[in-house]
Amino acid sequence: MMKEVIKMENMMCLEFVNNSENESFARMVATAFVTHLNPTLEEIVEIKTAISEAVTNAIIHGYANQHKGIVKLKDDGSKDKSAIKDTRGAFMLPEKVVSVVGVYEIGGFNTVYINNKVNDLQTFADALRRNPTNIKVGYENLYKKARQLRPDVIVTDFEIYATMLSKIRDIPLISLDNIHMITQTRIDYPKNHFAEMLKAKGVIKTYVVNPKIHILTSFFYPRVRPGKHAVIYPPVIREDILKLTPTQGDHIIVYQTSRESEKLVQRLKALKDEKFIVYGFNKDETDGNLCYKPFNEDEFYDDLASSKAVICNGGFTFITEAIHLKKPIYSVPAIGNFEQTLNGFYVQKLGYGEYHEIMSAERVADFLKRLAKYQEKLDKVKKTNNDGIIRELIYRIEKYSKLK
C-alpha cells in the first residue's frame, strides 16, 4: 500500500513588543530560519541587515510616539534570497572603535540675519567675500590631506567641500544630516512657504551630490521619496543632555542665536508674572523679568532641564533637545529660513508646542496657558539614544569602503 506524501511549504511568523532590544533577537531568529537554504556568509549578512531595517522602521514609523505596540515579522520561506536585499530602513551592527587622526578647520557658508529674517543680499555678499579664502583653505586642508591619508570613505554633515573632494578623488561619500529631509522625504509644510521650499531644495542639491546613502536625523518621520536611498533615525542627542533628569521649575528658557532678536525678546517684559532666562546675547544682567546669561554649558543644561517651557527660533539641535527633555516649545523661525520653518511647523503638527512667525507677548501668554496639553503629548514621546545611528554609520563605512 502506497502512502501519499504531502509536502508543506515552510513559513514562520514572529511577534514581539516594540522594544529596540528585540531587533537583535529578530535577526537571530530570521537567520536561523533560513539555514536550510544554505545561504552564503554574504547572504546572511544581507538578511540580517534587511531584518534590522524592517524591525527598526516598524518601531520608528509605526510606533514613533507610543510606548506599547506589537511588531510582526513574517517569512514565507522563499528561496529567492536576493529579494530581501531591496529593503530600505535602519541598520544595526555591533559598535567598533574609531580613532581620530586629526581635526582640520575649513571655511563654511554663513547665513546673514537682520531682525530675525534671512537677508539674501548680505548673505550673497558675505559668500563672495569669504569663498575665495574658504576654497583655498578647503583645498589645503582637505585635498592634500586626502591625498596623504587616502581615506576609504568621506562622511559629510552638509558642506560643499566633501562633495568636491569625493568627485575629484573618487572616494565614496556618505551624507549624515537633518536638512536633507527636505529633498529625500515627503515632508508636509506651510503652503505659503512654497517658494522658500524650492529655494532650499536648490541650495541643498548643490551642496551634497549623489552620496551613496543619506543618513537622516529627524524628530518627525515622513516617508522617504521613491527612488531615494535614505534612512531616517531619531536626532543625535549630546551625551550631556542624555544624562540630564528633567524637572519642572518656574522659569522659561529663551534661546536665540541671532543678536538681532533682542528686540523681540524685550516684548516678553510685558509678562511680569513670568520669569525668563535668556541665552544667546552674551550678557550677564537682569532686566525686569528677563535674566540674561552668558553661555556656560553646565548652567545652561541645568536651566534647560528645570524649565517649564522654551522659546526659540527653529534650530534643529535645540528643538530636538527640548523634545528629549519633554519641554513645550514656542518656536519663532527666522523668516526666510525654510529649514527652521519646517521644524517649527512639525513642532505644532505633532502637538509639542506652537509655531509662530512673530514674537508676541499675547501669543506667548496664550501658549503658557496650554502647557498641560503640550506636556501630555511630549510625555508620550519615547526616549532614544545614539546607538542606532552610530551602528548605521559604522555599517555604511564598512560597506562603502569595500568599493575602493
Side-chain angles (χ1 to χ4, degrees):
M1 182 177 179
M2 295 183 63
K3 292 183 179 180
E4 182 180 2
V5 178
I6 302 176
K7 185 178 180 181
M8 297 183 65
E9 293 292 335
N10 200 9
M11 66 88 64
M12 177 271 292
C13 185
L14 176 69
E15 294 185 1
F16 48 87
V17 295
N18 62 319
N19 289 334
S20 58
E21 293 83 357
N22 288 330
E23 178 267 334
S24 59
F25 167 67
R27 276 189 296 148
M28 180 180 68
V29 172
T31 51
F33 180 72
V34 300
T35 53
H36 69 281
L37 297 175
N38 297 318
T40 65
L41 180 60
E42 183 180 0
E43 287 169 336
I44 290 176
V45 170
E46 291 285 351
I47 290 169
K48 285 183 176 180
T49 296
I51 294 300
S52 293
E53 289 184 83
V55 172
T56 309
N57 261 351
I59 292 172
I60 291 176
H61 296 293
Y63 303 104
N65 298 314
Q66 300 178 32
H67 290 285
K68 293 182 180 179
I70 298 296
V71 177
K72 180 182 288 187
L73 179 65
K74 185 176 181 181
D75 191 326
D76 63 2
S78 171
K79 292 185 179 181
D80 184 10
K81 293 173 286 186
S82 63
I84 203 167
K85 297 180 184 179
D86 290 330
T87 309
R88 295 288 181 263
F91 298 78
M92 308 282 279
L93 290 178
E95 292 185 22
K96 295 185 178 180
V97 177
V98 179
S99 61
V100 178
V101 176
V103 178
Y104 308 96
E105 185 177 356
I106 60 173
F109 176 84
N110 295 308
T111 303
V112 178
Y113 297 95
I114 297 179
N115 294 326
N116 202 43
K117 182 178 181 180
V118 176
N119 187 297
D120 292 329
L121 185 60
Q122 285 292 102
T123 298
F124 180 68
D126 187 68
L128 288 179
R129 181 170 57 85
R130 293 173 179 266
N131 276 354
T133 301
N134 288 345
I135 291 173
K136 182 178 183 298
V137 173
Y139 170 78
E140 294 287 338
N141 284 342
L142 281 178
Y143 184 80
K144 289 187 177 180
K145 287 297 177 184
R147 190 169 58 183
Q148 173 189 343
L149 298 174
R150 296 184 178 181
D152 293 315
V153 69
I154 296 173
V155 181
T156 178
D157 179 17
F158 192 64
E159 46 74 40
I160 197 167
Y161 301 109
T163 290
M164 294 167 59
L165 185 62
S166 168
K167 304 310 176 191
I168 293 171
R169 300 289 300 176
D170 191 26
I171 303 171
L173 181 67
I174 297 173
S175 172
L176 194 162
D177 59 39
N178 161 259
I179 198 168
H180 274 93
M181 292 290 294
I182 296 171
T183 61
Q184 302 298 305
T185 69
R186 293 187 180 277
I187 55 170
D188 193 8
Y189 62 92
K191 300 312 175 189
N192 60 318
H193 290 269
F194 178 73
E196 289 176 15
M197 183 274 294
L198 291 180
K199 183 175 74 172
K201 276 190 173 183
V203 173
I204 293 167
K205 288 179 179 180
T206 63
Y207 261 57
V208 180
V209 181
N210 294 330
K212 294 296 182 183
I213 183 74
H214 283 284
I215 303 174
L216 305 172
T217 62
S218 181
F219 65 93
F220 51 92
Y221 303 97
R223 292 189 178 277
V224 174
R225 288 182 175 276
K228 301 293 187 182
H229 198 33
V231 293
I232 307 175
Y233 277 89
V236 175
I237 304 295
R238 288 179 284 186
E239 289 297 323
D240 290 327
I241 297 291
L242 291 173
K243 294 174 184 176
L244 293 175
T245 300
T247 58
Q248 190 172 95
D250 62 353
H251 64 272
I252 300 149
I253 288 290
V254 181
Y255 184 76
Q256 293 291 324
T257 55
S258 170
R259 293 190 177 185
E260 298 289 341
S261 301
E262 188 166 5
K263 293 178 182 178
L264 304 179
V265 173
Q266 284 290 316
R267 297 174 186 174
L268 299 175
K269 292 173 70 175
L271 303 177
K272 299 183 184 299
D273 294 333
E274 300 291 349
K275 179 184 178 182
F276 300 93
I277 298 179
V278 184
Y279 283 93
F281 302 109
N282 197 31
K283 297 199 302 186
D284 187 5
E285 62 182 57
T286 300
D287 182 8
N289 61 340
L290 305 180
C291 177
Y292 290 90
K293 291 187 179 183
F295 190 79
N296 174 285
E297 224 171 46
D298 293 335
E299 190 171 5
F300 172 73
Y301 292 155
D302 289 341
D303 287 340
L304 177 59
S306 60
S307 65
K308 67 177 181 180
V310 302
I311 297 174
C312 59
N313 50 31
F316 178 74
T317 300
F318 184 79
I319 282 180
T320 56
E321 291 178 346
I323 292 171
H324 178 81
L325 295 171
K326 303 185 185 300
K327 304 299 178 182
I329 300 162
Y330 185 99
S331 173
V332 187
I335 300 169
N337 186 321
F338 181 75
E339 180 193 6
Q340 290 197 12
T341 297
L342 185 66
N343 291 333
F345 173 79
Y346 270 99
V347 163
Q348 182 162 299
K349 181 173 182 176
L350 295 172
Y352 302 156
E354 297 179 13
Y355 143 68
H356 296 281
E357 297 193 354
I358 61 170
M359 177 84 78
S360 160
E362 292 79 12
R363 291 182 181 181
V364 172
D366 290 339
F367 160 73
L368 294 174
K369 293 175 185 176
R370 294 188 281 264
L371 290 187
K373 181 178 72 171
Y374 305 134
Q375 195 66 61
E376 184 180 358
K377 283 285 188 180
L378 286 162
D379 287 342
K380 295 178 182 178
V381 177
K382 290 182 66 175
K383 282 200 171 184
T384 60
N385 56 36
N386 303 324
D387 292 350
I389 197 167
I390 291 172
R391 292 172 183 169
E392 168 78 26
L393 182 58
I394 291 171
Y395 167 74
R396 295 296 179 174
I397 289 172
E398 290 183 339
K399 178 176 182 178
Y400 299 125
S401 294
K402 295 175 183 177
L403 300 178
K404 289 291 288 176

